[in-house]
Amino acid sequence: MSAQRDDEAVRRYAEQFGNLLADTGWPRMAARVFAAILSSEEGRMTAAELSDQLQASPAAVSGAVNYLLQLRLANREREPGSRRDVYVVQDDFWYQSMMSQDQALARWSDSLHHVLDAAGEGTAAHRRVRASLAFIDFIEEEVKGLSERWFKRKAEIDADLDAQYGPRDI
């Protein structure tokens, strides 16, 4: 690739992306940390690097990183021979995040079945809960099909990216 990386522009646009994520309900610091790691050249940053780049306290970065780890949007790794943790955004982070949400749907469904049983058949609450369960069932079915289609499409995307950038060093 012949383009030069403009670190300042990348930081500015990553900050804008983080703000967009925050506008959609993400915790603001987690959104900023995620955008910073995602846009970093290596896709990996230490807590100190994040704190420095985002001008945020180590405690704020730690809380944000824990949120991202919980959602599987980032992983914690150790550099060989180092005691410092490095936070990494994996290539399939969106997929992993969506699949963890799919697992949450199954737990919601199980819980709502208990509510349904207790709500009393024929009541307004029973009807609302049944409608909620129907929606969750629909989403679960769609996610399965979406996952299958994604694997096929991802293979095409990976081939295109490998042709443009060369194979990844994994």
Side-chain angles (χ1 to χ4, degrees), residues 114-127:
H114 293 294
V115 175
L116 184 70
D117 293 342
E121 196 163 331
T123 66
H126 194 271
R127 178 186 171 97

Side-chain angles (χ1 to χ4, degrees), residues 21-43:
L21 292 174
D23 289 346
T24 64
W26 283 48
R28 186 161 301 281
M29 185 53 67
R32 294 179 68 215
V33 166
F34 176 75
I37 299 170
L38 177 66
S39 64
S40 70
E41 186 62 22
E42 300 298 321

Side-chain angles (χ1 to χ4, degrees), residues 134-147:
F135 178 74
I136 290 170
D137 289 344
F138 172 77
I139 295 298
E140 285 179 314
E141 290 170 22
E142 290 299 309
V143 166
K144 288 175 189 164
L146 184 63
S147 181

Side-chain angles (χ1 to χ4, degrees), residues 88-154:
V88 181
V89 172
Q90 302 297 333
D91 286 348
D92 64 348
F93 62 88
W94 289 118
Y95 175 78
Q96 291 300 326
S97 175
M98 293 299 160
M99 292 304 101
S100 69
Q101 292 304 313
D102 185 45
Q103 294 168 3
L105 289 173
R107 292 192 310 270
W108 294 353
S109 180
D110 289 344
S111 182
L112 281 174
H113 274 91
H114 293 294
V115 175
L116 184 70
D117 293 342
E121 196 163 331
T123 66
H126 194 271
R127 178 186 171 97
R128 281 191 307 276
V129 172
R130 279 193 61 193
S132 294
L133 283 166
F135 178 74
I136 290 170
D137 289 344
F138 172 77
I139 295 298
E140 285 179 314
E141 290 170 22
E142 290 299 309
V143 166
K144 288 175 189 164
L146 184 63
S147 181
E148 292 168 6
R149 291 190 307 276
W150 170 244
F151 282 123
K152 291 177 185 172
R153 180 68 179 120
K154 185 173 184 329

